[in-house]
Amino acid sequence: MLNTDAGQAQLPDGQTAPEAAEEQPAPAAKSSRNRGSLLATAAVVVLLAGGVAFGTVLPDPKTSDAYTALVDEKATVEIERDAALSSYASVKGKYDSLQGGITARESKVSARETEVGKADAAVKTAEAAVKAREEAVTGAEKAKAANTVSDGTWTVGSDIEPGTYRASADVGSSCYWGIYATGSNGSNIIDNDLPGGGRPSVALSAGQDFKSSRCGKWEKQ
């Protein structure tokens, strides 16, 4: 009867089959594994030793000239930056002060311009009023001049307007006035007088000539 145990074939009476006797390479594999472990441990030791040796050989970077130069350059840049910021703050302060002054002056100028504008408007209004008064006075003077008669001979209706005229001041004793028919050359007397004083008046109509001698001015009433 055959009995199979752990892959080995056994014969009766405890004899082992020849195939089972051939299965014995396991100790060699275990030896290979041990050698690999020893090699890995040696490699780690070598690497650790190399790292220690490498760390002791490299210099500290902070003690190098390049690092020192960079630190100095950084300090210089920071100083220049601080100086620039301080200068900017000073300039900004001056600018703000000047800007404030300009704004205040502009406000004053604007206020003065407003006042000047009001004054100009008042002056123009006054000038317009003066001009209106002058025109009124001139018109009145022109009207008065047109209705004023002095010494001479005047044709009513062409030289002077018809109406009642009165001496503007008291006349002297030599005053003479006369009213004649137009075109009669003084031969057709309608009325005349030597008032000798006072302020005489005359009524004149179209188609008449009026003559005044040494009586001063006559004004239309």
Side-chain angles (χ1 to χ4, degrees):
M1 181 176 179
L2 294 174
N3 183 19
T4 304
D5 186 12
Q8 294 181 354
Q10 293 182 356
L11 295 177
D13 298 329
Q15 295 180 358
T16 302
E19 295 85 3
E22 294 177 357
E23 296 180 1
Q24 295 182 2
K30 183 176 181 181
S31 177
S32 298
R33 285 196 299 271
N34 290 334
R35 284 198 300 270
S37 176
L38 291 174
L39 291 175
T41 302
V44 170
V45 172
V46 171
L47 288 174
L48 291 174
V52 172
F54 182 77
T56 57
V57 171
L58 288 178
D60 185 359
K62 293 185 178 181
T63 61
S64 65
D65 294 340
Y67 182 84
T68 303
L70 288 175
V71 170
D72 293 341
E73 184 177 356
K74 179 176 179 292
T76 302
V77 170
E78 290 177 347
I79 293 173
E80 293 176 351
R81 179 202 62 192
D82 294 341
L85 290 175
S86 177
S87 177
Y88 171 78
S90 177
V91 172
K92 183 67 167 56
K94 292 180 180 179
Y95 172 81
D96 292 340
S97 177
L98 291 174
Q99 188 66 30
I102 291 173
T103 302
R105 291 180 182 178
E106 287 178 348
S107 298
K108 290 181 180 180
V109 169
S110 179
R112 290 180 181 177
E113 288 178 348
T114 301
E115 294 176 357
V116 170
K118 291 180 180 179
D120 288 342
V123 169
K124 290 180 179 179
T125 301
E127 288 178 347
V130 170
K131 185 177 181 180
R133 285 196 297 269
E134 288 177 349
E135 290 177 350
V137 170
T138 301
E141 290 177 348
K142 287 181 179 179
K144 184 177 180 180
N147 295 321
T148 300
V149 179
S150 57
D151 285 347
T153 301
W154 312 93
T155 299
V156 182
S158 59
D159 296 331
I160 60 175
E161 294 182 359
T164 299
Y165 289 81
R166 185 182 182 187
S168 59
D170 291 344
V171 299
S173 58
S174 61
C175 170
Y176 168 80
W177 61 266
I179 301 174
Y180 310 95
T182 299
S184 65
N185 197 21
S187 60
N188 187 357
I189 300 174
I190 298 174
D191 194 6
N192 62 357
D193 191 16
L194 289 168
R199 295 178 61 190
S201 61
V202 295
L204 304 176
S205 302
Q208 297 175 343
D209 290 340
F210 176 66
K211 181 178 181 180
S212 175
S213 298
R214 300 175 300 277
C215 296
K217 293 182 179 181
W218 302 76
E219 294 178 353
K220 189 174 182 294
Q221 304 301 299

